[in-house]
Amino acid sequence: MDNDKYRNKYRIPSARAVWHDYNGGIYFITICTAKRKFYFGRIESKRMILNALGQKLNDLIMNIPIHHPYAEITAYQIMPNHVHLIVCIDETLKTNNVPDFWGVDGRDANGVDDGRDVACRVSTGKPTNPPIKNEKMQAIADHCGLLSTTIGGIKSAMTRFANDNKMEF
């Protein structure tokens, strides 16, 4: 990243390798909650007790292969304020006809296949006819790697779930 500022604020440079497309390989991923708040549950007697958000995160992780057949979560651990994942990405299993978290099958509201990979669709709200798109984010997503798509899908679905259920997240 050449620019050290975003909206005139300093930011940490990306740790991503610019020479790697993240469309294949095995990755160790840690996702932390904002301000490290305990959103996913609590630890009691050395055991993780998932709350509703933690259970939703668990369900999303378990269903990754349904939505992203090129991705497999081989191991994971949900903690109160973060999650660790071992993600295996196999680009040879990529397909354009797999439902995403909204159940879209690669076709727009009129049933027309727009040629974009379903995994790279960005929606900013509830499904509508036609879907509401964030054009800036869609432009970025059109160039996304499969790892980014998988992790972004989990994060997006978690945010939608919390918003739909009026939960702080």
Side-chain angles (χ1 to χ4, degrees):
M1 179 179 292
D2 294 334
N3 190 353
D4 289 339
K5 289 188 176 184
Y6 174 72
R7 294 185 180 176
N8 288 326
K9 295 180 183 177
Y10 285 98
R11 56 184 279 154
I12 298 169
S14 175
R16 295 181 182 160
V18 295
W19 47 266
H20 185 60
D21 65 9
Y22 295 91
N23 284 328
I26 301 171
Y27 306 93
F28 177 78
I29 305 292
T30 299
I31 305 170
C32 299
T33 61
K35 298 182 182 178
R36 305 282 176 122
K37 288 182 108 179
F38 284 23
Y39 285 117
F40 303 132
R42 68 189 186 287
I43 296 176
E44 194 174 281
S45 301
K46 298 183 181 181
R47 292 195 52 180
M48 181 62 196
I49 309 298
L50 298 176
N51 60 17
L53 283 172
Q55 188 57 53
K56 179 63 176 180
L57 178 57
N58 188 69
D59 293 346
L60 290 170
I61 292 168
M62 296 297 292
N63 289 319
I64 283 294
I66 295 169
H67 304 288
H68 305 283
Y70 50 80
E72 180 183 0
I73 309 294
T74 58
Y76 67 98
Q77 179 62 55
I78 300 171
M79 299 302 290
N81 62 357
H82 66 281
V83 60
H84 297 290
L85 307 156
I86 303 289
V87 184
C88 300
I89 301 290
D90 184 351
E91 184 177 22
T92 64
L93 299 176
K94 180 180 163 186
T95 176
N96 288 339
N97 297 316
V98 176
D100 68 4
F101 282 102
W102 289 117
V104 178
D105 68 356
R107 299 181 188 281
D108 67 14
N110 299 315
V112 176
D113 188 343
D114 64 7
R116 283 195 299 221
D117 184 351
V118 173
C120 290
R121 294 178 190 274
V122 175
S123 177
T124 58
K126 292 183 179 181
T128 59
N129 192 0
I132 298 169
K133 297 287 182 179
N134 178 323
E135 296 302 325
K136 182 178 179 181
M137 292 307 294
Q138 187 61 58
I140 294 167
D142 286 342
H143 302 288
C144 65
L146 298 177
L147 178 63
S148 176
T149 299
T150 302
I151 300 305
I154 293 170
K155 292 169 79 172
S156 176
M158 282 298 300
T159 301
R160 275 193 306 270
F161 175 79
N163 290 341
D164 289 349
N165 291 285
K166 299 181 182 6
M167 303 167 109
E168 180 187 355
F169 184 63

